[in-house]
Amino acid sequence: MAPTPVVKVDLRRELVGYRARHGRFDLVTLPPRRYLAVDGAGDPNTSTAYADAVSTVYPVAYSLKAVGRARYGRDHVVMPLEAQWWADDPSVFTTRRDKASWRWTVLLLVPDWLTDDDVTAARAAVAARGRGPALEALRVVTLDEGLVVQTLHVGPYDDEGPVLAQLHDEVLPERGLRPTGHHHEVYLGDSRRAAPKRLRTILRQPVERVDASVGPVVS
């Protein structure tokens, strides 16, 4: 019997929410999605915990890719790194940029055909190779963000502040929306390889309507 052909899958092209436009704030409805997740706090540029989180979700994600190929005949492109960010005082993101006060959850999407048992197998494979410094903290979460406003930021991460201020201080009030969840970023570029001015980051904010008369398009 001939082996089952392997299907290559690039979910970045298929899933809603992984495209955004620079200079525009678009309203998008997202379905619930599952992620590998590691929680932490502190400046991502200096925090060992943040580096350990990133160094854990990637090996598990690539191990899951191997599991998916072997068990289900689906060879998916590992999705971009994502993170949720929050703090007691929102100004630490927009004006003060006090990174030491940030709390975060590092995220990496789990394709919907992979099960929690598959994640357990992938975790065990990573542990057997002596990798994944934050494996004990790794969990699988389901985010149900629903309605979100998102835009594409092009440039250094430290230049996001004015865009986020515009989003929260101008766009949401003008459109009859208010935030309902943590700020969410999707890192389409690799900061280890790309020049800071070329980095591409989706900035996303879950919202709800406070003015039903406002139309659905945010521009």
Side-chain angles (χ1 to χ4, degrees):
M1 180 181 295
T4 302
V6 173
V7 177
K8 293 189 177 294
V9 182
D10 187 350
L11 293 175
R12 293 173 301 179
R13 299 178 180 274
E14 297 180 10
L15 296 181
V16 174
Y18 286 94
R19 293 188 185 89
R21 295 178 287 182
H22 179 61
R24 289 183 58 89
F25 295 89
D26 293 317
L27 197 61
V28 181
T29 300
L30 302 177
R33 287 175 178 160
R34 292 163 59 244
Y35 295 86
L36 303 174
V38 178
D39 301 317
D43 185 339
N45 294 322
T46 59
S47 169
T48 300
Y50 186 82
D52 287 349
V54 174
S55 296
T56 297
V57 294
Y58 269 122
V60 175
Y62 277 97
S63 186
L64 271 174
K65 173 183 170 74
V67 169
R69 181 183 175 94
R71 292 185 179 177
Y72 308 107
R74 293 186 177 186
D75 184 11
H76 70 277
V77 175
V78 170
M79 296 294 282
L81 186 71
E82 306 182 37
Q84 290 180 303
W85 302 91
W86 68 98
D88 295 333
D89 179 359
S91 72
V92 302
F93 294 106
T94 57
T95 54
R96 294 195 290 119
R97 301 295 284 178
D98 179 10
K99 297 178 184 178
S101 301
W102 293 1
R103 285 178 284 172
W104 41 262
T105 299
V106 168
L107 302 165
L108 214 155
L109 185 81
V110 177
D112 60 8
W113 60 85
L114 294 169
T115 68
D116 287 350
D117 287 343
D118 295 329
V119 174
T120 298
R123 184 203 300 256
V126 171
R129 297 196 298 270
R131 302 182 66 189
L135 269 179
E136 290 187 2
L138 181 75
R139 59 198 178 99
V140 177
V141 300
T142 298
L143 295 186
D144 189 1
E145 293 178 298
L147 196 65
V148 304
V149 176
Q150 62 182 37
T151 189
L152 180 67
H153 171 69
V154 179
Y157 301 136
D158 283 339
D159 290 351
E160 293 176 4
V163 182
L164 296 176
Q166 180 185 7
L167 170 63
H168 285 272
D169 299 340
E170 300 176 24
V171 173
L172 298 190
E174 289 172 358
R175 300 293 174 171
L177 302 167
R178 63 186 170 202
T180 59
H182 297 321
H183 171 65
H184 187 158
E185 298 190 356
V186 182
Y187 304 105
L188 302 179
D190 186 341
S191 61
R192 297 168 301 176
R193 298 186 177 93
K197 67 180 180 180
R198 297 185 182 277
L199 292 173
R200 298 165 60 248
T201 308
I202 295 175
L203 307 181
R204 176 184 297 164
Q205 177 60 55
V207 296
E208 65 182 2
R209 296 185 186 278
V210 294
D211 183 352
S213 68
V214 175
V217 177
V218 178
S219 60

